[in-house]
Amino acid sequence: MSRIAYVNGRFVPKSQAVVHIEDRGYQLADAVYEVWALFDGKLADPEGHFARLERSLSELRIDMPMSRAALTAVLRETVRRNRIREGLVYLQVSRGVARRDHAFPTDPVPPAVIVTVSRVDRAATEARAAAGVAVITTPENRWGRCDIKTVGLLPNALAKQKAREAGAVEAWFVDELGLVTEGASSNAWILDAEGTLRTRDTQANILRGVTRLSLIDVAREAGLKVDERPFTPQEAAQAKEAFITGAGTLVLPVVKVDGHPVGDGRVGPVATKLRRLYIERARATAI
Ligand code: PLP
């Protein structure tokens, strides 16, 4: 159980951690967030997540609430106070608190910042990865700036609920051309029939997943061919393997798409190896 949250400059018991009702994140989803995997108390893929945070904020014209160094110290201190070694660190930065109005506050307000930490049971997640998971597909219905990591996640939440009700763990959005964009909270990959790893290019309206980017490196270093090219759900069902990536899921094998088995319906060797290599690298480079 996570017990301490950081809220606007203070460390408070989570049960007393509250934000103002006129926080623009709460009222207008005018906020961005980041999630780091935590390995042995350290932040994984730090550079990628900080760079994306800065970009998300800059696209929305919200100031970085503090320097990277200060923010790193806040994240670490929240981790330390919660005594969590393996887990996830969540950061949210909103435009701040102001009388409700769609346009930005005319008098500048400071961004509002919260940080929470949650524990992950690595043994349980390893068991889930070894068994593989099912995904469903759902029509893409999100806004045109999914490259910005905003808290406006209602379509993602609805898609995830649809997946859960279908006995799956993730929903892949499919665009009007019939191509998979990404998952509700992960990027989507296949190992196609030719043995090439494929994941959607970032020119498309998707989140530039930090795990995705690291894994492209890891896969190439391991001698695999990676092609940033979209695929259809049919191609996924005919693929040798499939998996999803994200700070929460790391590299998670997918064995079923819309009820159709992927490959022989079992977790394949490539996804298994990539998961191991990614985790090794993320642990070694965490700060
Ligand atoms: N795509 C979406 C929509 C996400 O919400 C996430 C993670 O939360 C990802 C992809 C994976 O991104 P990352 O690897 O940076 O966690």
Side-chain angles (χ1 to χ4, degrees), residues 39-281:
F39 289 114
D40 200 20
K42 295 185 191 155
L43 304 165
D45 278 329
E47 170 60 31
H49 288 285
F50 280 114
R52 187 174 61 192
L53 171 69
E54 286 164 0
R55 180 176 178 279
S56 294
L57 288 169
S58 129
E59 290 295 309
L60 299 185
R61 294 195 276 148
I62 300 174
D63 291 336
M64 254 301 256
M66 57 190 97
S67 68
R68 251 195 214 202
L71 194 52
T72 306
V74 166
L75 298 176
R76 285 187 173 151
E77 182 59 15
T78 316
V79 169
R80 193 189 67 77
R81 288 183 186 230
N82 282 285
R83 298 202 184 91
I84 291 178
R85 308 298 294 173
E86 300 289 319
L88 289 170
V89 179
Y90 178 88
L91 164 76
Q92 182 172 317
V93 182
S94 85
R95 193 177 306 280
V97 175
R99 194 170 66 86
R100 191 174 185 281
D101 183 1
H102 288 61
F104 299 172
T106 40
D107 294 328
V109 290
V113 184
I114 64 160
V115 180
T116 55
V117 187
S118 57
R119 199 180 301 278
V120 168
D121 178 347
R122 295 271 177 234
T125 53
E126 284 310 315
R128 185 161 84 150
V133 298
V135 304
I136 59 158
T137 61
T138 192
E140 179 65 86
N141 60 354
R142 298 173 301 159
W143 75 323
R145 292 303 309 271
C146 293
D147 57 309
I148 308 173
K149 195 165 170 70
T150 82
V151 302
L153 292 172
L154 184 56
N156 308 57
L158 295 176
K160 198 69 121 181
Q161 180 61 22
K162 185 173 164 186
R164 181 179 291 175
E165 287 170 12
V169 310
E170 181 59 301
W172 282 352
F173 290 111
V174 177
D175 69 14
E176 70 285 0
L177 298 174
L179 299 166
V180 173
T181 52
E182 64 179 327
S185 64
S186 60
N187 289 109
W189 297 66
I190 59 170
L191 179 69
D192 72 12
E194 282 75 51
T196 300
L197 281 173
R198 278 163 62 186
T199 189
R200 187 104 199 214
D201 61 278
T202 51
Q203 299 308 308
N205 184 34
I206 64 166
L207 186 74
R208 299 167 185 191
V210 173
T211 318
R212 172 192 176 283
L213 200 58
S214 287
L215 195 69
I216 289 176
D217 268 0
V218 166
R220 286 186 175 142
E221 274 169 25
L224 290 157
K225 189 165 170 242
V226 182
D227 196 354
E228 294 181 63
R229 186 156 56 92
F231 54 85
T232 63
Q234 292 70 30
E235 284 178 296
Q238 288 156 11
K240 292 181 169 160
E241 298 185 31
F243 56 89
I244 56 177
T245 56
T249 46
L250 307 175
V251 178
L252 183 59
V254 169
V255 292
K256 225 187 252 183
V257 177
D258 283 337
H260 304 292
V262 175
D264 62 6
R266 286 184 302 200
V267 170
V270 174
T272 303
K273 180 174 173 189
L274 287 174
R275 179 178 174 87
R276 180 175 55 76
L277 292 177
Y278 171 75
I279 293 174
E280 278 172 15
R281 179 163 130 154

